Amino acid sequence: MMCTRLLTLLKPHAVKRNLPQICSASFSSLRRQHENITTDFCQPGSCFNKSDDHKQRIWSPSLAGHNYGRRFFSLTPAGIVNAAPASVQPYLRLMRLDKPIGTWLLYLPCTWSIGLAADPGCLPDLRMLVLFGVGALLMRGAGCTINDMWDKDFDRKVSRTATRPIASGEITPFRALVFLGGQLSLALGVLLCLNYYSIALGAASLSLVVTYPLMKRITYWPQFVLGLTFNWGALLGWSAVQGSCDWSVCLPLYVSGVMWTLIYDTIYAHQDKDDDLKVGVKSTALRFQENTKLWLSGFTGAMLSGLVLAGVNADQTLPYYCAVSAVAIHLAHQIYAVDINRPEDCWKKFASNRNLGLLLFLGIVTGTLWKKRNDDQYETQLNSISN
């Protein structure tokens, strides 16, 4: 009976008829195996839970570059990290190279200051923009490394941070310390390209970089200390161009940047407020709770006042104030629309601040170029009067 069945299957027409069914069954089996593997990584409550939208920022990079054993290169930050050698990837993730929003938020106050320091009718100093961009990348990476070294025990208890390289054991604390030394050495090389005043000013910020991660243990205002740290470039950018700070411009700009950080990082902190309560760390999100929008509105008013004062003292022109008005509208929408109880919406509003910073930078550049136009018109009027 078995021999008869075997001969039947070996007939050409039988093979031709059964081949699609065999292939389909094999493909279905492989697909089920892949789904089972994915399910194992994505159980409810896991930080790799695919159904949890705001956590797909963690889930996606680890799987997006793979498709049944094949890897595809992507020009996105996460794709670049995934395409790197496996031994290098944990260090790139430690410095958050796959999540560049923090680098942008550190870099943008530098661009504002560099733009305001430019001569009337001139574009910002391109060399300085490049140097500060490299410096922002390195110092943000160093700050994240310091933060993760301090917080490794807390990170293991929070789903969003449990997969960070130090908390998960991919990188030992000693190797993280060596990596930190390398980043700081490169950042020092960038700083040494500036004038002596700026070198001393930049070095003064290191104490804030080191101590900021400790603030969440002792105060409900760690976002304020982060603002002091992240907006140091508002002082440093001007001094790098002009040789020293003009405090009538730099100080209001710096205060505005600190207020901006309080806005976006309080929104960001609402993602983790439940986990923060469990592990015992503090934040402005826990301090403000349901009054968050009222506090953020106050910070917005202070930020806009500082930007106007900095613009007046820097002799800025109409395009600058148009940009400040657009910033006001952007912040009003953020605060009105954000749902502080939905982590995915908090992330979306937080990330939108990159566009806000770029909008202000564009206003500064066009406002500075407009100064030349007004000077030319004034000279033309003087010549016509003298003639």
Side-chain angles (χ1 to χ4, degrees):
M1 183 70 176
M2 186 177 294
C3 294
T4 303
R5 179 63 176 165
L6 182 60
L7 289 172
T8 302
L9 288 173
L10 290 175
K11 290 180 181 180
H13 70 278
V15 173
K16 185 176 181 180
R17 183 175 62 252
N18 289 305
L19 185 59
Q21 298 175 0
I22 295 170
C23 292
S24 176
S26 300
F27 180 77
S28 298
S29 177
L30 288 171
R31 188 177 184 86
R32 282 195 300 273
Q33 292 176 18
H34 179 269
E35 289 173 350
N36 289 337
I37 293 172
T38 303
T39 302
D40 291 339
F41 279 94
C42 303
Q43 295 297 328
S46 166
C47 61
F48 289 97
N49 184 0
K50 187 179 178 182
S51 64
D52 197 346
D53 292 338
H54 81 283
K55 293 176 183 173
Q56 288 196 46
R57 299 190 305 276
I58 301 174
W59 184 87
S60 300
S62 61
L63 297 180
H66 299 270
N67 186 17
Y68 299 99
R70 297 173 60 191
R71 297 177 66 181
F72 296 94
F73 179 73
S74 170
L75 288 176
T76 63
I80 293 171
V81 171
N82 288 334
S87 59
V88 176
Q89 288 185 28
Y91 294 95
L92 299 181
R93 288 190 284 109
L94 178 59
M95 64 184 299
R96 309 289 197 275
L97 199 65
D98 56 332
K99 298 174 182 177
I101 179 61
T103 302
W104 276 109
L105 295 175
L106 178 61
Y107 177 55
L108 284 165
C110 306
T111 68
W112 303 345
S113 189
I114 293 170
L116 286 171
D119 292 330
C122 296
L123 291 170
D125 189 323
L126 180 59
R127 176 175 172 272
M128 288 299 171
L129 290 174
V130 172
L131 280 175
F132 275 77
V134 174
L137 179 66
L138 292 169
M139 287 307 298
R140 195 259 178 146
C144 290
T145 303
I146 293 170
N147 181 80
D148 289 6
M149 291 172 68
W150 281 117
D151 289 354
K152 61 182 185 298
D153 294 329
F154 288 148
D155 287 345
R156 294 188 184 108
K157 301 175 184 178
V158 178
S159 60
R160 188 179 61 82
T161 59
T163 57
R164 287 177 175 174
I166 299 177
S168 65
E170 289 183 274
I171 297 177
T172 64
F174 176 74
R175 289 186 175 182
L177 183 62
V178 173
F179 183 56
L180 172 62
Q183 293 175 91
L184 291 176
S185 298
L186 292 173
L188 177 61
V190 173
L191 186 62
L192 293 176
C193 295
L194 307 180
N195 56 61
Y196 290 122
Y197 184 100
S198 299
I199 291 172
L201 185 62
S205 69
L206 191 58
S207 59
L208 288 170
V209 175
V210 173
T211 58
Y212 156 68
L214 297 174
M215 293 299 106
K216 68 187 76 172
R217 294 164 169 80
I218 61 177
T219 177
Y220 282 101
W221 292 86
Q223 281 70 27
F224 176 72
V225 182
L226 179 66
L228 297 176
T229 308
F230 252 51
N231 293 281
W232 203 259
L235 308 177
L236 194 58
W238 184 286
S239 71
V241 175
Q242 296 289 347
S244 63
C245 285
D246 180 348
W247 294 105
S248 68
V249 177
C250 294
L251 193 57
L253 186 67
Y254 181 60
V255 171
S256 294
V258 174
M259 295 299 105
W260 184 43
T261 302
L262 279 166
I263 295 166
Y264 66 66
D265 208 57
T266 297
I267 293 173
Y268 180 88
H270 272 283
Q271 295 179 104
D272 299 330
K273 57 189 176 184
D274 293 334
D275 289 323
D276 288 346
L277 281 172
K278 293 176 185 177
V279 301
V281 299
K282 301 175 176 66
S283 71
T284 49
L286 295 177
R287 172 68 178 81
F288 302 155
Q289 298 185 18
E290 296 305 316
N291 292 321
T292 290
K293 294 190 176 185
L294 181 62
W295 280 91
L296 297 187
S297 298
F299 296 148
T300 297
M303 177 186 176
L304 296 173
S305 298
L307 290 176
V308 170
L309 181 58
V312 169
N313 292 334
D315 297 322
Q316 273 294 333
T317 54
L318 180 62
Y320 172 82
Y321 296 105
C322 290
V324 171
S325 299
V327 165
I329 294 170
H330 193 292
L331 288 172
H333 176 262
Q334 272 191 67
I335 296 169
Y336 176 78
V338 66
D339 185 344
I340 59 174
N341 296 312
R342 288 181 58 222
E344 63 275 15
D345 190 52
C346 290
W347 172 263
K348 183 179 178 181
K349 298 299 188 297
F350 164 76
S352 72
N353 281 277
R354 183 198 66 170
N355 296 335
L356 182 152
L358 289 172
L359 180 63
L360 181 58
F361 176 61
L362 180 63
I364 291 171
V365 172
T366 54
T368 302
L369 293 174
W370 190 277
K371 289 182 187 179
K372 181 66 174 178
R373 178 182 171 185
N374 286 344
D375 288 345
D376 289 341
Q377 290 176 346
Y378 180 70
E379 290 176 6
T380 302
Q381 291 173 358
L382 287 179
N383 291 333
S384 62
I385 291 173
S386 62
N387 293 331

